[in-house]
Amino acid sequence: MFRRAPDRMRDQVTFTFDGNPIVAAAGDSVAAALLAAGIQACRTTPVSGAPRGPYCMMGVCFECLVRIDGVGNRQGCLVPVREGMKVETQKGSYALPAEAGQ
Amino acid sequence: MMVGVESAQIGRIDDLAGDYDVVVIGAGPSGLRAATTASEFGAQVLLVDENQTPGGQIYRSVLRAQEADRRRLGEDYWRGRAIAEAFLRSDAHYSPMTTAWSIVPFHGESGEIIGHEVGISAAGKTRLIRTKQIVLGTGALERPFPVPGWTLPGVMTAGAAQIALKASGLIPEGRVVIAGTGPLLYLLAAQLIDAGATISAVLDTTPKANWRKALRYLPEFLASPYAIKGMKLLCSVLRRTKVVRWVSSLSAEGEGALKEVVWRANGREQRVPADILLLHQGIVPNINFSNALGCEHEWDERQLAFRPRVDKWYRTSVPGIAITGDGAGIQGAEAAALQGALAGLGCAVRLGLIDIESGERRAAPLRSQLRKASRGRAFLEVLYRPAESFRIPQNPNTIVCRCEEISAGQIRSSVDAGAIGPNQMKVFLRTGMGPCQGRLCGLTVTELIANERGVGPNEVGYYRLRFPIKPLRLSELASLPQSEAAKAAVLADLADTHPPKNGRGERL
Ligand SMILES: Cc1cc2nc3c(=O)[nH]c(=O)nc-3n(C[C@H](O)[C@H](O)[C@H](O)COP(=O)(O)OP(=O)(O)OC[C@H]3O[C@@H](n4cnc5c(N)ncnc54)[C@H](O)[C@@H]3O)c2cc1C
Ligand code: FES
């Protein structure tokens, strides 16, 4: 779906998405790293369970919500990937952060 | 790289001072110039921004850019380096990857507003920072583009693709379709083609009738710097990809992900298989802060958006709050930078760092440059006014509120059942109650209600927003070192904006 310009693959960072290892470039947001790895959907909606993926990449739409290192409702497009990060599909309920007690 | 120019950067928000003369929110051209200017006059300035590096939308990641990026993105992009570097050389403090989520006034003895407390968070930590003056340089958002299937994975905004390109060097691959209207549509198409993407088609939704209406503004446009740039862009796209004009309807189809794009042009329906659909129909001011602050707004019929009322120093109706750049109305990057400088100057005057006469003297050349920079906008606004059918969905099944999955039909029937404004609609349907707080549906809901009621958007109004304007985690709130009263206020607002839900997402 997306490929990376060869001049932009500098320092590499490895993280996992739903347990699968993915290599990204340092400085990538989590959402960009997922798109670069061919992953388009990163969550399912609380209402109908439909899959959704990053839409705006600038912190506006909240479609990029994922679980990062066990914490739900993180905006993947605003969080830089880090070595060893554990990213997971966010399934359903936003159970808004305050309620989830995170 | 940024070596040698990072002196102003504060690594952790714990290291920020508790008080500043000026807090600027947003590191786009307007915020950068506002912060640099105020700091030049000796003000203690803090600039907070959500991104990793300064630049905002147009100059995103510009300090990380290499020659290859310069070739891909063009000279207008590269120019941002100077603005960002001048800011980093200033004495202003800079807190990147930091979100501002509330602004609460504090009062003097006779009840007048003497400053504000800004709630910010970064890396799970939260602070309340006091300041005398605030400049909001929070920019614009892409206008909602509610067409059937726009929630499918594989459908993104054109701006999103540009962000992926600027920040990570990502180039869309496979069958890529770009659809919509506005000057940025062709800029992005050109940038993606220059980067090596193959674009299957550009579907131009600009209505034919717009050309006739825009003609009277053409002479002024031709005299503006946009004219030559615009023509070059258009030609470079027309030469290198298929452009379909007069597209009057559009939808994305697929199960679980985008498979096909379907459109109608000149009375004929067509479909193509597609992996990526990039949508764009212009940008609108991001009014979340100004709305929650209670600043006065007005409906701008030509820009088809609400904008805060500002004076010649970009002050809003709330004392101590200025708004510059796209957030005050869409004018482009050059105007945003000039407005930022004016707002920074205005802060220096109000702080008593410079007298009003000298302030006016310095403002005069900025104002005349601003008039020049704004020339030609009228033509662009009239020509690229998105068609009503793409703003106010006719198909009742089209999703309007993406977070709560509310359709146009549900909204229309709720109007008939008595939800005559966006805030009633929240109660009826939970539109705008999801995590995006209406950013992606607000304008559509306003225009749908206005359309259904047969009145103007000004009469319908917009969602009344509350702080925090970005959802906070409890751990972030818990890390607030400030008074219990402040915490209680934030929690009360939080409960109000996000009423508890059961597992199915229904309100309890
Ligand atoms: C996606 C997109 C792409 C664009 N690309 C171009 C382009 O290539 N060329 C062009 O001429 N114009 C482009 N524009 C138009 C562009 O917005 C303006 O020309 C220019 O960037 C406006 O500058 P600004 O300073 O008003 O705001 P912006 O440049 O938009 O900067 C706003 C900044 O505020 C930050 N911010 C917002 N809210 C908060 C918050 N709560 N807390 C912390 N930080 C916050 C944002 O992260 C951003 O960095 C684009 C607009 C959009 C929306
Ligand atoms: S993709 Fe829109 S908020 Fe992250």
Side-chain angles (χ1 to χ4, degrees), chain B residues 290-321:
Chain B
S290 53
N291 177 308
L293 273 161
C295 301
E296 284 170 22
H297 289 75
E298 60 198 355
W299 176 257
D300 183 328
E301 182 52 30
R302 203 148 77 192
Q303 295 196 353
L304 290 167
F306 289 100
R307 58 198 273 178
R309 285 213 177 94
V310 290
D311 69 5
K312 62 177 183 173
W313 296 105
Y314 294 89
R315 282 183 303 185
T316 67
S317 61
V318 175
I321 309 282

Side-chain angles (χ1 to χ4, degrees), chain A residues 54-64 75 77:
Chain A
Y55 179 72
C56 74
M57 294 295 275
M58 56 180 278
V60 171
C61 70
F62 291 72
E63 294 289 14
C64 60
Q75 280 176 281
C77 70

Side-chain angles (χ1 to χ4, degrees), chain A residues 30-96:
Chain A
V30 168
L34 292 176
L35 289 176
I39 294 157
Q40 279 187 316
C42 61
R43 72 176 186 107
T44 57
T45 63
V47 184
S48 71
R52 293 277 176 89
Y55 179 72
C56 74
M57 294 295 275
M58 56 180 278
V60 171
C61 70
F62 291 72
E63 294 289 14
C64 60
L65 294 181
V66 284
R67 288 180 72 80
I68 297 181
D69 294 331
V71 180
N73 295 298
R74 303 299 312 276
Q75 280 176 281
C77 70
L78 293 181
V79 179
V81 276
R82 301 241 181 274
E83 185 65 36
M85 208 175 229
K86 224 176 113 216
V87 181
E88 292 164 286
T89 299
Q90 170 151 329
K91 295 204 177 72
S93 176
Y94 316 114
L96 271 149

Side-chain angles (χ1 to χ4, degrees), chain A residues 11-16 22-24 26 69 80-86:
Chain A
D11 306 335
Q12 298 195 341
V13 171
T14 306
F15 70 105
T16 63
I22 292 177
V23 179
D69 294 331
V81 276
R82 301 241 181 274
E83 185 65 36
M85 208 175 229
K86 224 176 113 216

Side-chain angles (χ1 to χ4, degrees), chain A residues 1-5 7-8 10 27-29 32 35-36 40-41 43 45-63 65 71-72 74-75 78 80 82 93-94 96-99 101-102, chain B residues 50 52 57 60 64 66 68-69 72 97 140-141 150-151 153-157 160 163 166-173 196-197 256 275-276 279 402-405 435-436 439-440 470-475 494 498 501:
Chain A
M1 294 308 117
F2 284 86
R3 73 189 147 85
R4 195 185 300 270
D7 54 275
R8 290 297 287 260
R10 292 191 296 265
D28 276 356
S29 66
L35 289 176
Q40 279 187 316
R43 72 176 186 107
T45 63
V47 184
S48 71
R52 293 277 176 89
Y55 179 72
C56 74
M57 294 295 275
M58 56 180 278
V60 171
C61 70
F62 291 72
E63 294 289 14
L65 294 181
V71 180
R74 303 299 312 276
Q75 280 176 281
L78 293 181
R82 301 241 181 274
S93 176
Y94 316 114
L96 271 149
E99 296 152 49
Q102 303 285 3
Chain B
E50 241 164 15
Q52 297 180 45
Q57 297 309 343
R60 182 178 286 267
R64 286 182 175 168
Q66 312 282 320
D69 299 292
R72 281 195 283 268
M97 284 190 278
L141 320 170
W150 71 311
T151 51
V155 182
M156 306 172 81
T157 70
I163 290 167
K166 285 176 180 171
S168 292
L170 298 191
I171 302 162
E173 216 179 12
D275 302 302
I276 296 179
L279 296 174
R402 299 174 60 111
C403 296
E404 301 288 337
E405 296 177 71
C436 97
R439 287 170 173 85
L440 269 255
K470 294 254 170 148
L472 282 175
R473 299 205 294 281
L474 266 193
S475 62
L494 196 64
H498 311 305
K501 290 185 286 183

Side-chain angles (χ1 to χ4, degrees), chain B residues 21-22 38-44 344 347-355:
Chain B
D21 294 330
V22 182
S39 158
E40 273 164 14
F41 289 100
Q44 300 295 314
C347 288
V349 169
R350 292 193 292 285
L351 290 164
L353 299 168
I354 168 177
D355 61 70

Side-chain angles (χ1 to χ4, degrees), chain B residues 403-418:
Chain B
C403 296
E404 301 288 337
E405 296 177 71
I406 313 288
S407 69
Q410 283 173 284
I411 291 171
R412 285 190 193 272
S413 5
S414 298
V415 176
D416 299 338

